[in-house]
Amino acid sequence: AQSVTQPDIHITVSEGASLELRCNYSYGATPYLFWYVQSPGQGLQLLLKYFSGDTLVQGIKGFEAEFKRSQSSFNLRKPSVHWSDAAEYFCVLYNFNKFYFGSGTKLNVKP
Amino acid sequence: EPEVTQTPSHQVTQMGQEVILRCVPISNHLYFYWYRQILGQKVEFLVSFYNNEISEKSEIFDDQFSVERPDGSNFTLKIRSTKLEDSAMYFCASRAGGGLPGGYEQYFGPGTRLTVT
């Protein structure tokens, strides 16, 4: 069965520091994977997606993610975090018209 | 830029009452979804809708729930007899479809916060 695991519930980083949010998935074939961000009181915004091809994908707001089949991972990265990046981040897997969400990682940014 | 809209933004209802949550998906999209997020918990898939019928639904989506696309633009979620545990944020989403990579991108509405008292 397909599933998505985000092992970190909360992460705190200092503004300007680098960020990596972890995502592991369980799926038999090549997955379609997404990262979404949810700012407080807001809806969900797509950051980036992976379907096939280049395993390093670029997204909006300076985010990137790397698909690693051998590790069943799709980690989200940003080289320098801004205070406005404080939000909750969800890794999502698509399969047969259903989207499976990870439990989310809340990012706090220290000044 | 086109967006998904949802009304109302907040709905308060008494236990046992019926509620209808409304969504207007992006106009050329073909696939429609409802999700819920109980406070502090993960986003949960409820139902997907395509070609005027349900294509997938979760275990949460029992007989108390129904969806409809009554007029070609609105997409509604009805809860027939609300329970306390239905209190959550409900998100509508749509995607274009068509088998192209961009067709799998879901666009989410801002959500309706449902409070059942």
Side-chain angles (χ1 to χ4, degrees), chain A residues 36 49 51 94 97 99 101, chain B residues 33 42 55 95 101 105-106:
Chain A
Y36 282 84
K49 61 186 182 288
F51 296 115
Y94 169 85
N97 207 24
F99 289 81
F101 278 70
Chain B
Y33 302 84
K42 68 193 290 185
S55 50
R95 69 178 179 95
E105 294 177 20
Q106 285 188 109

Side-chain angles (χ1 to χ4, degrees), chain B residues 39-114:
Chain B
L39 188 64
Q41 298 187 24
K42 68 193 290 185
V43 177
E44 299 173 290
F45 167 80
L46 290 177
V47 65
S48 60
F49 191 86
Y50 170 72
N51 200 26
N52 283 319
E53 59 183 27
I54 291 172
S55 50
E56 295 285 342
K57 61 181 181 179
S58 72
E59 311 78 44
I60 304 167
F61 194 88
D62 61 20
D63 293 343
Q64 296 281 69
F65 292 89
S66 62
V67 288
E68 200 176 35
R69 189 156 159 81
D71 56 12
S73 61
N74 289 282
F75 179 52
T76 62
L77 174 69
K78 182 192 291 187
I79 310 175
R80 288 190 183 82
S81 178
T82 50
K83 302 186 280 281
L84 293 176
E85 53 265 38
D86 293 327
S87 295
M89 181 73 90
Y90 288 81
F91 292 104
C92 172
S94 69
R95 69 178 179 95
L100 298 174
Y104 293 100
E105 294 177 20
Q106 285 188 109
Y107 293 81
F108 284 83
T112 293
R113 180 164 297 286
L114 176 65

